[in-house]
Amino acid sequence: MMKFRFRRQGNDPQREKIKQDLFAFNKTVEHGFPSQPSALAYDPKLQVMAIGTKSGAIKVYGAPGVEFTGLHKDTATVTQIHFLQGQGWMVSLLDDNTMHLWETGQKERCSDLREVRSFSLPGRSGIESTSVTRVTVLLVKSSSDLLTLGTEGGGVHFLELPSLRLVDKSLFHDEIMQSVPEDYRCGKSLGPVEALQEHPLHAHKILIGYSRGLVVLWDFKSRHVDNLFLGKQQLESLVWVRSGSSFVSSHSDGGYMVWSVSSSTPCIQEPVTSTIPYGPFPCKAVTKILWRTTQSGAALVLFSGGMPRASYGDRHCLTILQDSVHVTLDFTSRVIDFFTVHHVDRDHELDDPSALVVLLEEELVVIDLQAAGWPTIPAPYLAPLHSSAITCSYHISNVPTRLWERVVSAGLQQCSAQTCTNWPICGGKNLAPAVKQRELLLTGHEDGTVRFWDASGVALQPLYKLSTASIFQIDCEHNDSFTQAAEEEWPPFRKVGCFDPYSDDPRLGVQKICLCKYSGKLVVAGTAGQVILMYLSDEKSDHMIDLATVDLLQDREGFTWKGHDRLPPKSGSVLFAPGFQPVVLVQCMPPAAVTSVTLHAEWNLVAFGTSHGFGLFDYHRRSPVLARCTLHPNDSLAMEGPLSRVKSLKKSLRQSFRRIRKSRVSGKKRGVVSSPSSKVQEANAQLAEQDSEVTPVQRRIEPRSADDSLSGVVRCLCFADTFLRDGTHHGPTMWAGTNSGCVYAYALDVPLQEKFSEQSVEALLGKEIQLMHRAPVVSIAVLDGRGNPLPEPYEVSRDLAKAPDMQSSHSVLIASEEQFKVFMLPKVSAKTKFKLTAHEGCRVRKVALVSFSSVASEDYSENGLVCLTNLGDIHVFSVPALRPQVRYDCIRKEDISGIASCVFTKTGQGFYLISPSEFERFSLSARVITEPQCQVYVERPYESSEVSSCTSVSPQANGTHKSQSPGQSRSAGDAEAVIDELQSALSSPCLDSPNSSADITLDTTGELTVEDVKDFLVSVDEAENNLRNMTEEDGRPPGILIN
């Protein structure tokens, strides 16, 4: 009988098919602003824009929803991008001096970006220095059949397009010097080529600008110098006037010059006009200038830089001049590049620019040049998520229409200074189907703001901004310089953009957010223990905020708070704009950062927790209901606050000693592994040891000490209508889990709705559970009689969800950092569990209950427990049986901030930060996928097949569009396949050390290590034990240790 009891069952083909219809891993799109942008380009015919980054990525944007990405094979900075206008090709220049041709291709009816070929300029014979052939500037001819290159050595070279073949018509430095007057030579070099501009009327003529100041009009056909312009200031950039009769040059002294082009005067020594707008004192260089003709007759001049060195040399500015109008746009980050959206067809006599697009280091700003005052145009994408550093995130699925409309309306009233002009970059077509439900992503920030984003589609669009700083008395010292500058007459600064890296007070930082989407009530909790309850209002209001204080220490002796003070609230009434308006401010004492918060709008209750304990507040009666201290007598570090140097010093010393002890122990146990053969021998030895053991292999877990620092931190809170006192009467309950593995369950006596004002809420401790290993409790969720999560407040009363099963026994799912466990209620008897700690070094970081819908049938769905571990992989378990379903690699285990920032949605998607300014969006559901589906229509003189004969699929930026299907990801039943592959894996010379990695995706494309096999075998045995033995466990009364 034992033989059949321990036999491993094979895969169920029917179940595997269901899993394929439910689960699929895809990294779909990157929301936000590209990290470290370095180049900008615009195609006026296709009306699309490209941004290059320092990581080698190229991102193409058009109309909202039209975006796709390409990534260079080598990680190098993209210094320049140039479109072949209207043809869907572009050329990129990297800082390693290579040029790459990119093609906008079609894949499954959608456009994508792929690299066709690359080119590196060969050195000139007899010259060994590589800097001579370093490319400084590119120019794509209007005919799109020739690429002109300028180099540091002063040479100009020509490449055929799209073949990138070098044309034997190069123009070298010495050839130009023959035409230069003797008195101008002075034995000096002309310097690198700084600018190349094609003549607007004669395409065979090119304006060549050298660093020393010389500008040459070169006839490519006749190889003849038409004009020489003997500039004496170091050159920065050139631009033609549309008529071709003159051009403008900008210089390092902060000025610009207008030169007249005349065939009768081949050598011109002085410009028509020379201007230093911010002189006469020394100014910084004007790095780029544009000159656009308008209907008013007065030219529109735009240039970056040129500010007085002494007084405003640290400002990042772009100046707009037209007649007597002078505006200096003042940004908070460096200007990378800019362009104007204007008429390029020869049919138009004037440029008549409609918009100015400025790429900054931290944001994209678009100015409406047609409207009076030149206001900004709100961007439908590329919003700077990190305008203030993101501190937390919160996602809401299936937003009700009423809430959505009210939030959008409040946001529109905040944008009165912005124009309603249509977005000028509108190329391509969005093929994605219309969104079926609205999604909101809320981000909390360091400056005390909460930003609402439309996360329904590919473009993450800002909707509304909420600030909590207005209810506190704080200093705004960093704004003094801007206010002072605005009062001065010169320069005429105008602060533009929303990126603001400063924070008035670090205590304002938002730590937790909770929103009831049906009642419009919002809770925002911060770093200084402030818990703010807000109501959504469509009208502005001037009212006082009710204040309440909750002492979480409960007069416990021996504890003295050494951290920061509370934020002082404003006295008197405060004026609030339409939107979310604060009504109650609950101050936790001591004022430690809030670590968890939850809201039940139907019961008028909000619960919150810090490192000292948790509290329950009745916001209808404005009265505290409960305060519980969770501190251990030795938990002194919790009293020092997050900014304490003593705490960080103690922590670093403790970690250092632990590392020393660990290295000594590991050094005694094993020698140095230096060769692949020794790795194989060690792997074989470990496998032999595993096979010799009779009992299942588990990682040994040392119980955590009760006096570990910060053991009282409240990690999670939960409200539920369930059975706690007995099995026949259900009622409101509140659950709290701490860092020491303790779970508190309170029975709540909530009055009927009509008696809220008369009776107060009462709380009585019903259960207290202590996990044996004291692992931090990450999440608590109550399941109904069918094993489904309980509906949200108001969903049942408003017929928005099916009523939960109250006939059968309920259960509670407690997820700690080391295991998941389901207890039956009300006896708290263990039903089943899964020990994730069987995987070496694997700890739970994020947990969520998700509903997965099948692609085969809309009516079929399953609930799953999704968890993200400290190794960056994602596991999905069935609920409530806790059977492993699929496992995917998602985030690099070294990316600690990415793991910490991850947030799951209720439909199987997720977000995490890949940089301070970008969210990576991914999907675990085979049905619910939000990804770009767009098309850019191009017309090419050559067939794509002729050009792309050597095309190789380029990798995607930051792992975008990486997918793993359930067929690729191994489930716990694939033991046979793993053992079969083990022999070939062990014979590989690239076998990793078993100590180098704790967990890698079990994928046929990856290398298999001993640790992978051990983890797999453990998980199989553990799963069998879970299903076999856990139902036999006896219920334990509350208050005892539970393994």
Side-chain angles (χ1 to χ4, degrees):
M1 181 175 67
M2 294 296 292
K3 176 176 65 175
F4 294 101
R5 178 181 175 88
F6 289 97
R7 184 194 303 177
R8 297 186 181 180
Q9 300 178 356
N11 292 339
D12 181 1
Q14 185 176 359
R15 178 59 191 168
E16 291 300 315
K17 177 63 172 65
I18 293 175
K19 285 162 61 175
Q20 289 183 9
D21 293 339
L22 290 173
F23 311 113
F25 180 76
N26 291 278
K27 289 187 177 180
T28 54
V29 67
E30 293 161 6
H31 294 304
F33 185 77
S35 178
Q36 296 182 309
S38 55
L40 176 70
Y42 177 66
D43 188 331
K45 294 184 178 179
L46 296 181
Q47 293 181 301
V48 295
M49 170 183 67
I51 295 178
T53 70
K54 289 185 178 180
S55 63
I58 294 181
K59 298 171 178 280
V60 179
Y61 300 92
V66 177
E67 58 180 84
F68 42 92
T69 304
L71 185 67
H72 291 88
K73 296 175 183 177
D74 297 326
T75 302
T77 300
V78 181
T79 57
Q80 293 184 46
I81 307 174
H82 297 270
F83 278 99
L84 280 65
Q85 293 186 9
Q87 299 184 20
W89 286 323
M90 70 179 79
V91 178
S92 62
L93 172 66
L94 305 185
D95 64 353
D96 62 1
N97 207 39
T98 59
M99 283 148 285
H100 303 258
L101 181 68
W102 294 83
E103 177 190 29
T104 302
Q106 301 291 328
K107 183 179 180 181
E108 298 178 357
R109 292 184 61 248
C110 296
S111 295
D112 65 349
L113 194 61
R114 58 192 70 169
E115 183 179 340
V116 177
R117 58 175 58 89
S118 62
F119 175 82
S120 182
L121 193 64
R124 188 177 176 185
S125 59
I127 300 178
E128 297 182 359
S129 175
T130 56
S131 63
V132 173
T133 56
R134 175 167 289 278
V135 178
T136 55
V137 62
L138 299 179
L139 170 66
V140 176
K141 298 295 292 297
S142 59
S143 56
S144 297
D145 60 352
L146 203 64
L147 176 66
T148 309
L149 321 175
T151 65
E152 276 194 18
V156 179
H157 306 273
F158 302 92
L159 297 180
E160 285 184 354
L161 288 176
S163 62
L164 290 186
R165 282 194 291 264
L166 189 63
V167 178
D168 189 20
K169 292 185 179 181
S170 298
L171 174 65
F172 291 106
H173 175 271
D174 47 5
E175 191 172 349
I176 294 295
M177 289 296 285
Q178 295 176 4
S179 304
V180 176
E182 188 67 32
D183 58 344
Y184 188 82
R185 298 181 193 177
C186 300
K188 296 180 181 179
S189 170
L190 296 179
V193 177
E194 289 290 345
L196 293 170
Q197 291 291 330
E198 180 182 332
H199 196 289
L201 302 180
H202 308 290
H204 57 90
K205 294 184 179 182
I206 302 174
L207 203 61
I208 306 171
Y210 294 90
S211 177
R212 182 179 161 187
L214 177 68
V215 180
V216 177
L217 183 60
W218 171 260
D219 191 321
F220 176 73
K221 284 186 177 179
S222 62
R223 296 188 60 82
H224 175 264
V225 174
D226 282 5
N227 294 90
L228 288 173
F229 305 91
L230 307 180
K232 298 179 178 61
Q233 275 294 337
Q234 182 177 328
L235 183 70
E236 294 289 334
S237 71
L238 295 172
V239 62
W240 279 103
V241 177
R242 189 179 182 92
S243 63
S245 59
S246 59
F247 68 89
V248 184
S249 62
S250 68
H251 300 273
S252 62
D253 64 345
Y256 64 89
M257 303 177 185
V258 179
W259 301 81
S260 177
V261 179
S262 173
S263 57
S264 60
T265 312
C267 186
I268 301 173
Q269 297 188 1
E270 295 295 333
V272 177
T273 59
S274 179
T275 307
I276 302 179
Y278 299 106
F281 299 106
C283 297
K284 299 192 71 174
V286 174
T287 55
K288 180 177 180 177
I289 189 167
L290 296 179
W291 186 286
R292 301 293 183 237
T293 55
T294 64
Q295 293 181 355
S296 65
L300 187 73
V301 184
L302 311 100
F303 63 86
S304 57
M307 302 307 297
R309 286 185 179 274
S311 52
Y312 301 109
D314 59 341
R315 296 288 186 94
H316 310 291
C317 298
L318 190 146
T319 302
I320 307 178
L321 298 172
Q322 188 176 29
D323 271 346
S324 59
V325 182
H326 185 148
V327 174
T328 307
L329 303 179
D330 187 13
F331 305 105
T332 53
S333 59
R334 184 170 58 92
V335 177
I336 303 297
D337 201 353
F338 60 95
F339 64 82
T340 58
V341 179
H342 61 277
H343 297 300
V344 293
D345 297 334
R346 298 303 177 197
D347 301 337
H348 294 83
E349 297 181 357
L350 302 172
D351 295 314
D352 198 19
S354 59
L356 166 66
V357 180
V358 186
L359 176 66
L360 305 165
E361 201 168 32
E362 305 292 352
E363 62 183 319
L364 184 82
V365 174
V366 180
I367 306 294
D368 186 352
L369 297 177
Q370 296 288 336
W374 299 324
T376 58
I377 302 175
Y381 49 76
L382 286 176
L385 303 175
H386 65 320
S387 51
S388 175
I390 295 177
T391 51
C392 66
S393 303
Y394 185 81
H395 184 272
I396 305 153
S397 301
N398 197 14
V399 180
T401 304
R402 176 61 178 154
L403 174 65
W404 183 269
E405 293 174 348
R406 297 175 72 187
V407 170
V408 171
S409 174
L412 291 175
Q413 295 181 59
Q414 293 179 330
C415 303
S416 56
Q418 295 179 327
T419 180
C420 298
T421 304
N422 292 331
W423 183 243
I425 304 165
C426 52
K429 183 179 181 181
N430 184 13
L431 303 178
V435 293
K436 296 182 179 179
Q437 62 180 29
R438 298 290 188 180
E439 297 181 33
L440 277 176
L441 180 66
L442 277 60
T443 54
H445 297 264
E446 190 180 44
D447 61 354
T449 59
V450 177
R451 287 170 167 83
F452 290 65
W453 308 90
D454 178 3
S456 311
V458 171
L460 191 67
Q461 187 172 355
L463 297 178
Y464 170 68
K465 174 184 173 182
L466 166 67
S467 177
T468 61
S470 59
I471 66 175
F472 298 105
Q473 297 177 8
I474 54 175
D475 297 327
C476 302
E477 297 177 357
H478 79 274
N479 287 328
D480 291 348
S481 59
F482 294 116
T483 305
Q484 182 180 0
E487 294 173 353
E488 297 177 1
E489 295 182 357
W490 191 260
F493 286 120
R494 181 200 294 175
K495 193 176 187 303
V496 181
C498 60
F499 176 73
D500 185 2
Y502 305 103
S503 176
D504 295 327
D505 194 316
R507 296 174 295 176
L508 287 170
V510 177
Q511 296 297 322
K512 296 294 176 181
I513 304 170
C514 188
L515 173 65
C516 176
K517 60 184 179 182
Y518 300 112
S519 64
K521 294 173 183 176
L522 172 70
V523 176
V524 179
T527 305
Q530 68 270 28
V531 180
I532 308 168
L533 181 74
M534 303 184 179
Y535 289 176
L536 181 58
S537 174
D538 299 326
E539 304 293 336
K540 64 181 180 180
S541 175
D542 190 352
H543 63 263
M544 291 183 62
I545 301 171
D546 294 323
L547 305 177
T549 302
V550 177
D551 182 14
L552 297 180
L553 288 182
Q554 293 294 289
D555 300 324
R556 184 172 294 194
E557 297 180 356
F559 292 95
T560 304
W561 174 249
K562 303 174 185 177
H564 50 251
D565 295 331
R566 59 184 289 181
L567 280 166
K570 287 183 178 178
S571 58
S573 61
V574 182
L575 179 63
F576 298 103
F580 285 95
Q581 300 172 352
V583 292
V584 183
L585 169 61
V586 181
Q587 179 63 55
C588 300
M589 296 301 291
V594 177
T595 55
S596 59
V597 71
T598 188
L599 170 70
H600 201 295
E602 211 165 1
W603 300 340
N604 292 327
L605 295 175
V606 57
F608 44 86
T610 70
S611 56
H612 306 121
F614 56 89
L616 182 64
F617 189 82
D618 180 351
Y619 58 81
H620 183 79
R621 294 174 58 89
R622 308 294 199 263
S623 63
V625 177
L626 167 70
R628 174 68 183 257
C629 181
T630 56
L631 284 178
H632 188 270
N634 297 332
D635 206 355
S636 58
L637 288 183
M639 305 305 296
E640 295 175 0
L643 306 179
S644 171
R645 296 181 62 184
V646 177
K647 173 187 170 184
S648 60
L649 178 61
K650 287 182 179 179
K651 184 177 180 181
S652 61
L653 286 174
R654 185 169 61 253
Q655 290 176 346
S656 299
F657 280 115
R658 285 177 177 172
R659 282 194 295 266
I660 292 172
R661 286 198 300 268
K662 186 177 179 181
S663 63
R664 286 176 180 172
V665 173
S666 60
K668 293 177 183 178
K669 288 185 178 179
R670 67 176 186 275
V672 177
V673 181
S674 58
S675 64
S677 60
S678 61
K679 292 181 182 180
V680 175
Q681 291 173 5
E682 184 177 348
N684 289 329
Q686 292 196 12
L687 284 176
E689 291 177 3
Q690 292 178 5
D691 294 337
S692 64
E693 295 183 6
V694 179
T695 58
V697 180
Q698 291 190 28
R699 179 172 68 87
R700 184 177 179 181
I701 308 165
E702 296 294 337
R704 306 187 186 201
S705 173
D707 60 354
D708 277 354
S709 63
L710 302 179
S711 61
V713 175
V714 179
R715 294 285 294 270
C716 57
L717 291 162
C718 162
F719 285 114
D721 184 358
T722 187
F723 302 91
L724 186 61
R725 296 173 177 172
D726 56 61
T728 56
H729 301 89
H730 62 87
T733 62
M734 186 195 76
W735 301 72
T738 71
N739 233 20
S740 60
C742 192
V743 177
Y744 303 89
Y746 283 83
L748 306 178
D749 186 5
V750 180
L752 298 176
Q753 189 170 4
E754 57 270 13
K755 296 183 178 181
F756 274 146
S757 301
E758 303 173 7
Q759 300 179 9
S760 60
V761 179
E762 295 182 0
L764 178 66
L765 180 62
K767 308 289 182 183
E768 184 174 340
I769 306 170
Q770 177 63 65
L771 302 181
M772 177 178 290
H773 295 295
R774 302 183 181 276
V777 179
V778 179
S779 175
I780 301 173
V782 176
L783 308 176
D784 69 2
R786 301 187 187 94
N788 297 322
L790 297 182
E792 295 183 22
Y794 289 112
E795 282 190 336
V796 175
S797 61
R798 298 184 181 182
D799 296 327
L800 300 172
K802 186 184 297 184
D805 181 6
M806 291 296 184
Q807 305 301 320
S808 306
S809 298
H810 284 198
S811 57
V812 59
L813 170 59
I814 299 177
S816 73
E817 283 191 357
E818 297 178 353
Q819 69 177 8
F820 310 117
K821 200 161 189 177
V822 176
F823 297 93
M824 298 301 297
L825 293 177
K827 293 183 178 180
V828 195
S829 58
K831 181 182 180 182
T832 185
K833 69 177 179 180
F834 185 90
K835 290 185 177 180
L836 202 65
T837 48
H839 299 270
E840 181 70 28
C842 187
R843 293 189 181 276
V844 177
R845 287 291 177 259
K846 302 285 182 177
V847 170
L849 285 172
V850 173
S851 176
F852 291 95
S853 299
S854 172
V855 293
S857 173
E858 294 184 7
D859 300 329
Y860 184 80
S861 64
E862 290 185 9
N863 291 317
L865 177 68
V866 178
C867 86
L868 172 70
T869 73
N870 62 328
L871 301 179
D873 52 357
I874 292 179
H875 302 252
V876 180
F877 299 88
S878 62
V879 175
L882 297 183
R883 294 189 180 94
Q885 301 300 304
V886 288
R887 172 175 169 266
Y888 304 112
D889 268 349
C890 182
I891 310 174
R892 294 180 301 106
K893 63 181 179 181
E894 299 84 7
D895 188 3
I896 299 175
S897 62
I899 294 174
S901 64
C902 183
V903 57
F904 293 109
T905 75
K906 292 188 176 182
T907 56
Q909 299 189 80
F911 303 82
Y912 69 92
L913 289 173
I914 54 176
S915 73
S917 60
E918 287 177 290
F919 271 117
E920 176 79 77
R921 187 171 189 150
F922 63 90
S923 176
L924 303 170
S925 171
R927 185 179 187 87
V928 182
I929 302 176
T930 303
E931 61 182 351
Q933 299 180 42
C934 58
Q935 197 168 46
V936 176
Y937 301 97
V938 298
E939 296 181 2
R940 299 192 180 106
Y942 307 95
E943 290 296 330
S944 178
S945 57
E946 298 176 16
V947 180
S948 305
S949 57
C950 59
T951 299
S952 60
V953 178
S954 59
Q956 299 296 317
N958 297 313
T960 305
H961 307 294
K962 171 186 174 183
S963 63
Q964 298 178 21
S965 67
Q968 295 171 320
S969 176
R970 292 210 172 90
S971 61
D974 289 336
E976 310 290 340
V978 173
I979 294 174
D980 291 341
E981 292 179 1
L982 178 61
Q983 302 299 327
S984 59
L986 289 177
S987 61
S988 171
C990 300
L991 183 65
D992 291 338
S993 168
N995 302 300
S996 63
S997 176
D999 207 358
I1000 300 176
T1001 301
L1002 296 176
D1003 196 320
T1004 55
T1005 60
E1007 296 177 352
L1008 194 63
T1009 68
V1010 176
E1011 290 295 319
D1012 293 330
V1013 180
K1014 183 175 74 173
D1015 290 346
F1016 173 78
L1017 295 175
V1018 170
S1019 63
V1020 171
D1021 294 335
E1022 195 66 28
E1024 292 178 353
N1025 290 336
N1026 289 338
L1027 300 177
R1028 185 183 309 114
N1029 300 325
M1030 288 312 301
T1031 55
E1032 302 173 5
E1033 292 190 16
D1034 297 328
R1036 295 179 173 89
I1040 67 173
L1041 295 176
I1042 297 179
N1043 183 15

